[in-house]
Amino acid sequence: MSKKIKAIRGMNDLLPDQASIWQSVESQIRLLLSSHGYGEIRMPIVESTALFKRSIGEVTDIVEKEMYTFEDRNGDSLTLRPEGTACCVRACEEHGLLYNQTQRLWYAGPMFRHERPQKGRYRQFHQVGVETFGMPGPDIDAELIMMTAQLWQQLGIQDAVTLQINTLGTVDARADYKARLVEYLTARKDDLDEDSRSRLESNPLRILDSKNPQTQKLLDGAPSLMDCLDLESKQHFDELMEMLDKAGITYEKNPRLVRGLDYYGKTVFEWVTDKLGAQGTVCAGGRYDGLVEQLGGKAIPAVGYAMGMERLVLLMETLEQTEGHKASVDIYIASVGDKVYQTALILAKTLRESLPGRRIQSHCGGGSFKSQLKKADKSEAQYAVILGEEEVDNGTVTVKPLRGQGEQLVVEQAALASTMTQLLGEKA
Ligand code: ATP
Ligand code: MG
């Protein structure tokens, strides 16, 4: 026997039981976004490598070591998208969506990063991303955060996530701060971990993000970005916090929150949990007023966020909040006898027409009643509808409750749909 081919490390199959949870969560997210007036945009999975280099930043983890980059048959350098923001900006510019108008957009789909696979960290993972354009004030920042807070509530994870916020100020304020931070850390260079030492020249702000305890201790005495903030950023941030207070959303100010991508400025935020180990960030975002221009467009303010679907579902599972999201069969139709399946398939069709949204599974593949009822039970169906040759002859069916909802009953086939509607009630 030849060797079996396996999936690529860090890239997961999503099996039906899991996929039904994802579908339900995704549809809640879609409803929420649409209720806020956001429109979906779908971008390709592959883009020019230059797009990510120019937007995310040359000296970020993503661009330096995580991208799936390859040459296609024409010799062009292409990259499997590691995130969606740059792609979304590219698409908006290309189709004139940012011309004299505001935009509220969202997308969902796979992203690719060559990281070390572990729980909550994969090489193909899935994000739902939200991007807005043309709105400079803290109102839209607040709307985005309020929207996510509402989602956590709907998914039953609100008590397990906390909101961390920070402001990175304007480009000038950051440059000023960068210089002060570098001065402070250069004087203490010998005590820095190796990663941070190399970042001192390439991307010093990322040192604030370091997971190294000794480096974090060193940072306790470092100058704070808050002290370098320009007035405008300060007011923007204060007003955002005021709005969050009004909306009853609690948050932690985290002056060391910088985010791993270069394009952020002013507001940044993360929703984090302590229930998923080191992979604690479920949703992250911020303002990127400079990115559109950096990619060749006009200067247009923008803010957005992305949530990781795998981490979201993992968290729901950890908190046992997935039960209501599983899809199970409502009615399982069992049929035994010569060509009885023909009546069963027609009955199933009529039932589906009368009970839209219900899951009705008609048994195929033969077998005894006993084995079919076993399958019905395994499918978690509420009711089995049973058909034998006798039932076909006299135009009836037997309806058998499978979850202890009383005695089985015999009904006319013509009355089956109305009986089942009564028994199952309205589909929520
Ligand atoms: P982390 O600090 O965990 O590496 P990040 O800052 O690189 O996250 P972003 O680029 O902001 O992440 O992506 C937004 C969200 O996408 C994250 O908060 C997380 O939920 C999810 N995410 C990012 N990378 C991965 C991955 N490799 N596997 C699974 N989910 C991921
Ligand atoms: Mg990362």
Side-chain angles (χ1 to χ4, degrees):
M1 222 165 49
S2 58
K3 205 167 158 233
K4 282 191 182 141
I5 297 171
K6 292 251 179 76
I8 308 298
R9 197 164 113 84
M11 306 204 177
N12 303 315
D13 298 307
L14 202 58
L15 306 182
D17 279 352
Q18 274 274 312
S20 75
I21 298 171
W22 278 55
Q23 274 186 6
S24 164
V25 173
E26 283 164 354
S27 83
Q28 288 217 12
I29 297 175
R30 263 199 299 274
L31 266 175
L32 180 82
L33 287 160
S34 128
S35 77
H36 284 73
Y38 287 65
E40 184 181 4
I41 181 164
R42 300 190 185 194
M43 297 90 63
I45 282 168
V46 180
E47 300 269 2
S48 291
T49 304
L51 176 67
F52 302 113
K53 287 200 170 163
R54 249 163 82 181
S55 55
I56 299 170
E58 294 267 6
V59 282
T60 54
D61 282 351
I62 295 180
V63 171
E64 275 183 340
K65 41 191 182 206
E66 296 174 0
M67 294 209 300
Y68 280 90
T69 297
F70 61 96
E71 228 175 63
D72 80 350
R73 288 175 194 277
N74 304 328
D76 298 324
S77 180
L78 307 183
T79 293
L80 298 185
R81 63 182 188 195
E83 58 111 33
T85 305
C87 315
C88 184
V89 170
R90 199 257 325 125
C92 285
E93 271 298 310
E94 202 162 324
H95 301 286
L97 297 192
L98 305 182
Y99 187 73
N100 279 346
Q101 56 195 317
T102 59
Q103 287 290 349
R104 285 175 161 88
L105 302 170
W106 69 273
Y107 51 83
M111 306 292 160
F112 303 84
R113 296 184 195 174
H114 197 277
E115 305 194 70
R116 193 169 70 77
Q118 52 198 293
K119 185 182 166 193
R121 191 176 295 286
Y122 311 100
R123 290 181 173 172
Q124 174 174 334
F125 61 98
H126 298 77
Q127 283 184 342
V128 174
V130 178
E131 318 288 354
T132 70
F133 300 94
M135 293 161 275
D139 48 0
I140 185 69
D141 303 17
E143 174 174 291
L144 290 176
I145 292 175
M146 286 168 67
M147 196 156 72
T148 49
Q150 188 182 333
L151 181 64
W152 312 147
Q153 199 97 36
Q154 284 176 11
L155 299 179
I157 59 171
Q158 71 278 9
D159 296 331
V161 288
T162 52
L163 174 64
Q164 300 204 339
I165 55 174
N166 191 21
T167 178
L168 301 179
T170 56
V171 177
D172 289 344
R174 243 182 357 262
D176 183 23
Y177 174 65
K178 228 184 243 181
R180 284 163 71 171
L181 182 68
V182 170
E183 190 185 288
Y184 173 87
L185 290 174
T186 309
R188 294 155 182 84
K189 201 169 172 180
D190 294 342
D191 297 329
L192 277 179
D193 62 279
E194 209 181 299
D195 247 7
S196 299
R197 220 175 299 147
S198 72
R199 286 202 168 118
L200 207 46
E201 272 151 40
S202 58
N203 198 351
L205 283 189
R206 283 306 308 277
I207 300 176
L208 296 178
D209 220 15
S210 164
K211 304 266 190 297
N212 185 297
Q214 202 190 326
T215 302
Q216 277 299 333
K217 220 164 140 214
L218 205 64
L219 286 167
D220 286 341
S224 162
L225 178 55
M226 289 291 164
D227 301 331
C228 298
L229 272 193
D230 51 289
L231 188 65
E232 194 200 330
S233 299
K234 223 176 207 153
Q235 279 172 350
H236 187 109
F237 195 48
D238 285 344
E239 209 177 307
L240 171 63
M241 289 191 285
E242 194 183 320
M243 181 65 230
L244 293 177
D245 290 336
K246 284 224 164 83
I249 294 173
T250 45
Y251 51 84
E252 273 169 33
K253 277 203 274 178
N254 176 0
R256 299 209 183 143
L257 183 67
V258 290
R259 316 269 312 106
L261 302 86
D262 270 358
Y263 50 62
Y264 288 107
K266 287 193 182 156
T267 312
V268 286
F269 66 92
E270 286 192 0
W271 285 96
V272 294
T273 177
D274 56 9
K275 303 271 187 297
L276 297 180
Q279 276 56 254
T281 307
V282 214
C283 172
R287 191 161 268 287
Y288 51 94
D289 291 345
L291 182 62
V292 179
E293 194 176 20
Q294 199 175 312
L295 289 175
K298 281 195 181 152
I300 289 169
V303 53
Y305 65 79
M307 51 192 146
M309 280 297 293
E310 282 82 359
R311 291 186 196 176
L312 207 54
V313 175
L314 257 175
L315 182 57
M316 290 173 67
E317 277 165 354
T318 311
L319 301 171
E320 296 180 0
Q321 292 292 333
T322 50
E323 206 44 50
H325 297 272
K326 289 180 182 156
S328 55
V329 169
D330 295 301
I331 304 170
Y332 194 101
I333 306 184
S335 56
V336 170
D338 187 31
K339 296 189 186 168
V340 173
Y341 77 87
Q342 294 183 345
T343 312
L345 283 176
I346 302 289
L347 266 182
K349 179 173 177 281
T350 332
L351 266 183
R352 288 186 198 108
E353 281 161 6
S354 310
L355 286 87
R358 290 291 180 186
R359 283 164 76 93
I360 296 157
Q361 194 161 317
S362 196
H363 181 86
C364 288
S368 65
F369 272 130
K370 198 173 158 210
S371 76
Q372 292 192 29
L373 285 176
K374 248 192 193 157
K375 288 205 168 92
D377 190 50
K378 209 170 154 218
S379 77
E380 296 181 19
Q382 295 293 315
Y383 292 92
V385 165
I386 301 170
L387 269 172
E389 283 172 11
E390 201 185 311
E391 278 92 347
V392 172
D393 287 343
N394 53 30
T396 59
V397 288
T398 302
V399 177
K400 182 178 164 62
L402 297 176
R403 312 284 145 202
Q405 319 95 308
E407 293 298 305
Q408 68 178 39
L409 59 154
V410 177
V411 298
E412 298 284 323
Q413 284 174 18
L416 179 61
S418 61
T419 306
M420 292 318 302
T421 306
Q422 253 175 17
L423 286 174
L424 286 166
E426 286 292 314
K427 176 86 181 159

